[in-house]
Every structure is written in structure tokens, then in C-alpha cells.
Amino acid sequence: MGAVTDDEVIQRRLLINGDGAGDDRRINCLLKSFITWCHSPHGAAEEGFTQYQKMLATLAQCEFSMGKTLMVYNMNLREMENYEKIYKNVEENITSAHEKISECKKEIQGAKRIVKNRQEYDGLAKVIRQHPDRHETLKQLAALDKELQHLSNINDNVDAKLELRKKQFHMLLITIQELQQTLENDEKLDNDEGLQEAPMDTSGECHEKSDSNENNKEDPMENGECVAELH
């Protein structure tokens, strides 16, 4: 049998002592009684038997205390295993709670983003409602395009008429100049003829003057007719 260490002795003494109800003292008394019983004389059989019964009773008490201590020890082991399981469950629950908290944070961020987008959408909707709708805007644009086309046509017509009036006025100026030139030429011819026909009588001169005046009166009318034709 190998040497027993101090730790084993202390462990056995604690195991035997149990909850500290005097088991160690009982073992010491049992050892003393056993030594006394062994050294007792053989003639005192009744006294030896009584001592033997006491030793058996003390040994039964020690065995009972040892069994109780073993039961408490096993119960403690089972409790430790149970606590380990509870600890693992608590750790798993904590990990699951952290994961749920992370998911909730993500959901909160998403909800904040949705609320922000909804607020921006409401603001844009208010701005859009302040303006006419697309159909009405297209109708207004079509009406403005039509009016612009009409004004452009009027502008083109006015430009064309203005150009025509410029040409007509230019032709009128040319005609007036030609008429003036013709009148000047006629006057020169009349003067030349008057100088050549100086010996003629006064009545003939008067007649020629009256004819010249009539010709001068007819020229403006012809001028007016030309202007009317240009218009």
C-alpha cells in the first residue's frame, strides 16, 4: 500500500466528519474501544459482547454519516452540472438577445430611413400640388405654341407687306422723278417752241398757254392714277 499524502488524509477526514457533527470523535472513540476490546480478558464475555455492540453501533453511525456525506457530494455534483447547463442556456440567451438587438437596430435604421423618405416625399408632393398637373401644363404649352405660331405668321405677313410697301414707295419715287423729268423736258420744249414762234399773234399764245395749263392739270391726275395702281 502506497504512502498516503496529507491532502488525502484531510479529504478522508472531511469526508468522514461530514457536516461536522462529531464523526471524527466517533471514529477516535471507535478506535479506542476497538483497542480496549482487543486487550480485554477473555473471561469477561458479556462485557466484551456489550463493547462489541457499542462498536457496531458507532461504526453504523459513521457509515451512515459517510453515506449521507456521499449523497450530499453527489447532489452537489449534480447541482454543478445543472448550474453548468443553466449557465450555457443563459449564455445562449444572451447571445440571442445581442443578435436580436442588432436586428432591431437595423430595423430602426430602416424605419428612420423610410420616415425620412416619406417626409421628403410629402414635401415634394406639396411643391408639386402648388403647380398645375402635366395635362394642364401640356394644354397651356400647346396654346402658347399655337399663339406663338399665329404671332409669327402675323409678323411674317407684316414683314412681307412692309417689304411690298418699300418696293411700292421706291417705284413711286422713281415714277415721280420720271414725271418731274418729263415735265421739265416738256417745259423746255415749250420754251423752245415759244422762242421760235414769237411773231405769232397773241391769240395763238393765249391758246397755247391754255393748252399748256390743261396739260399741267391732267398730269397730277395721271400721277394719282399711277399711285392708285401701285396700291
Side-chain angles (χ1 to χ4, degrees):
M1 187 173 179
V4 179
T5 62
D6 294 337
D7 293 335
E8 292 178 353
V9 172
I10 293 172
Q11 185 177 3
R12 288 179 182 177
R13 287 173 66 88
L14 291 174
L15 183 62
I16 293 171
N17 189 32
D19 55 355
D23 293 334
D24 191 17
R25 185 175 57 81
R26 289 194 190 98
I27 292 173
N28 291 328
C29 291
L30 178 62
L31 288 174
K32 291 179 180 179
S33 298
F34 179 72
I35 293 171
T36 303
W37 180 71
C38 290
H39 290 85
S40 62
H42 295 285
E46 185 177 356
E47 185 178 355
F49 182 76
T50 304
Q51 189 70 25
Y52 175 72
Q53 292 296 328
K54 288 182 179 179
M55 287 190 296
L56 289 178
T58 304
L59 183 61
Q61 289 179 357
C62 292
E63 288 178 352
F64 175 77
S65 178
M66 184 176 179
K68 185 177 71 172
T69 304
L70 287 174
M71 290 177 66
V72 172
Y73 176 74
N74 292 327
M75 182 187 68
N76 290 332
L77 291 177
R78 288 193 297 271
E79 288 294 326
M80 287 179 65
E81 292 177 356
N82 188 24
Y83 289 149
E84 288 291 334
K85 291 180 181 179
I86 293 173
Y87 178 75
K88 290 180 180 180
N89 291 330
V90 170
E91 283 188 343
E92 292 177 356
N93 292 331
I94 291 172
T95 303
S96 178
H98 283 299
E99 292 177 354
K100 289 181 179 180
I101 289 171
S102 299
E103 293 178 356
C104 291
K105 286 182 178 179
K106 292 180 180 178
E107 292 178 357
I108 290 171
Q109 293 295 329
K112 288 181 178 179
R113 192 180 299 109
I114 291 171
V115 171
K116 182 179 178 181
N117 293 334
R118 189 171 296 172
Q119 290 176 353
E120 292 178 354
Y121 173 78
D122 292 338
L124 291 174
K126 290 179 181 178
V127 174
I128 291 171
R129 281 195 294 268
Q130 293 176 358
H131 299 279
D133 57 357
R134 182 180 179 85
H135 181 67
E136 187 67 24
T137 303
L138 290 175
K139 285 177 65 177
Q140 292 179 1
L141 288 175
L144 291 174
D145 289 336
K146 187 175 180 180
E147 185 178 358
L148 182 61
Q149 187 66 30
H150 178 66
L151 293 175
S152 179
N153 292 332
I154 292 174
N155 190 22
D156 293 339
N157 293 330
V158 171
D159 290 338
K161 288 181 179 181
L162 182 60
E163 188 65 26
L164 178 61
R165 293 293 182 270
K166 287 181 179 179
K167 292 179 180 180
Q168 290 176 351
F169 184 71
H170 181 68
M171 293 296 296
L172 179 61
L173 290 176
I174 293 172
T175 304
I176 291 171
Q177 289 177 358
E178 290 178 352
L179 289 174
Q180 288 179 352
Q181 188 66 33
T182 302
L183 291 174
E184 289 176 357
N185 291 332
D186 290 341
E187 187 176 357
K188 288 181 180 180
L189 290 173
D190 291 337
N191 291 331
D192 292 339
E193 288 177 357
L195 291 175
Q196 290 177 2
E197 295 178 357
M200 294 178 66
D201 56 359
T202 306
S203 61
E205 290 178 358
C206 293
H207 181 68
E208 289 177 357
K209 288 181 180 179
S210 63
D211 292 336
S212 177
N213 291 327
E214 291 177 358
N215 291 329
N216 290 331
K217 291 179 180 179
E218 292 175 359
D219 288 338
M221 293 177 66
E222 292 176 356
N223 191 6
E225 291 176 357
C226 293
V227 173
E229 290 176 359
L230 289 173
H231 285 287

